[in-house]
Amino acid sequence: MIMELLGHKDYLRILMVLEKKSLRFTGIQKALDLNPTQVNRALTFLRKGLWIIPQTLPTEMGPIRVEYGLGKRGAAFLSSWKSFRTQAERHTAELGKSEVAELQSLSR
């Protein structure tokens, strides 16, 4: 499951944006400039693996509002990911500048 997560940069980017604060579907879409299909596919995967946790927001009327937040599993993964990135940056000479830059670009 981690390899599938790493194989889709949008999944990883969504985890990183949710680390800062919980967001609704459109908030994720706007923050990362993704189309609805990309967001829906990523949220489906991330919910299924408990990387993120959806929370229903109370409303007086209208449609049910859902906000997505980082789950414990997602938080643990991001902690490991940061450690990996730090180590990769320390070994830029061996790994190559473009490879390390590619890792860094995921965090923007």
Side-chain angles (χ1 to χ4, degrees):
M1 197 163 238
I2 287 179
M3 293 308 294
E4 189 173 352
L5 174 67
L6 291 173
H8 293 85
K9 68 179 180 179
D10 295 338
Y11 298 4
L12 185 56
R13 291 177 64 216
I14 287 175
L15 284 180
M16 286 188 262
V17 78
L18 292 178
E19 183 179 34
K20 296 172 187 153
K21 67 177 183 174
S22 297
L23 293 171
R24 294 184 56 214
F25 186 99
T26 54
I28 295 168
Q29 184 181 353
K30 290 176 185 176
L32 299 174
D33 194 29
L34 298 173
N35 69 49
T37 302
Q38 290 171 299
V39 176
N40 189 53
R41 184 182 309 122
L43 291 179
T44 299
F45 172 83
L46 295 169
R47 279 191 321 259
K48 186 177 178 183
L50 301 176
W51 304 100
I52 62 170
I53 306 295
Q55 294 182 344
T56 305
L57 302 174
T59 60
E60 297 271 334
M61 291 192 264
I64 296 172
R65 296 171 50 148
V66 178
E67 195 171 79
Y68 299 92
L70 204 57
K72 289 180 184 179
R73 192 173 194 198
F77 174 81
L78 285 180
S79 177
S80 299
W81 174 254
K82 288 177 188 174
S83 178
F84 173 75
R85 271 193 51 225
T86 301
Q87 289 301 315
E89 289 168 3
R90 289 182 183 155
H91 296 281
T92 300
E94 297 88 352
L95 294 171
K97 288 182 182 180
S98 63
E99 285 76 6
V100 173
E102 184 178 4
L103 288 174
Q104 291 169 333
S105 73
L106 293 173
S107 299
R108 294 185 189 131

